[in-house]
């Protein structure tokens, strides 16, 4: 465990709890219009890099919460792609 790694862990856990409300809203409404493609892909890349960093440094307090955030972002990305495809089919 790195020096003061628990601070990063607490920060990430708080981030997850606040992020859950966003995920629930996307799940209920299916609305992803506020998320740009750049934002979603940028976050996937940044979370992946953070996971690699945490894994290399055995920083499990960073590794596990970051995986949960990545899963949430991938869910939003999935909903956005699904919505995009449905709109294309509808519009012909």
């Amino acid at each position: 465990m790195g020096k003061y790694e628990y601070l990063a862990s607490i920060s990430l856990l708080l981030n997850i709890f606040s992020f859950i409300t966003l995920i629930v809203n996307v799940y209920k409404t299916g609305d992803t219009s506020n998320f740009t493609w750049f934002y979603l892909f940028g976050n996937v890349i940044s979370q992946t890099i953070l996971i690699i960093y945490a894994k290399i440094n055995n920083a499990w307090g960073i590794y596990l919460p970051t995986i949960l955030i990545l899963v949430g972002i991938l869910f939003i990305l999935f909903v956005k792609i699904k919505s995009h495809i449905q709109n294309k089919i509808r519009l012909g």
Side-chain angles (χ1 to χ4, degrees):
M1 182 179 237
K3 189 173 183 179
Y4 303 114
E5 183 183 326
Y6 68 91
L7 291 174
S9 301
I10 291 169
S11 172
L12 284 166
L13 287 173
L14 290 171
N15 192 15
I16 287 171
F17 289 127
S18 66
F19 192 60
I20 286 172
T21 61
L22 183 64
I23 297 296
V24 169
N25 186 41
V26 169
Y27 177 75
K28 286 181 178 179
T29 66
D31 181 18
T32 59
S33 60
N34 291 329
F35 300 99
T36 65
W37 293 104
F38 180 77
Y39 171 84
L40 291 171
F41 285 118
N43 267 287
V44 167
I45 292 167
S46 66
Q47 294 302 318
T48 302
I49 291 169
L50 189 55
I51 289 170
I52 292 167
Y53 166 82
K55 182 83 168 146
I56 289 170
N57 291 294
N58 285 327
W60 294 100
I62 297 172
Y63 181 73
L64 296 175
T66 305
I67 288 175
L68 293 174
I69 292 170
L70 180 60
V71 168
I73 293 169
L74 290 174
F75 171 75
I76 293 171
L77 186 60
F78 169 76
V79 172
K80 186 163 184 81
I81 290 170
K82 182 179 154 189
S83 174
H84 183 72
I85 291 170
Q86 287 174 343
N87 286 340
K88 277 194 160 198
I89 290 172
R90 228 179 294 149
L91 296 175

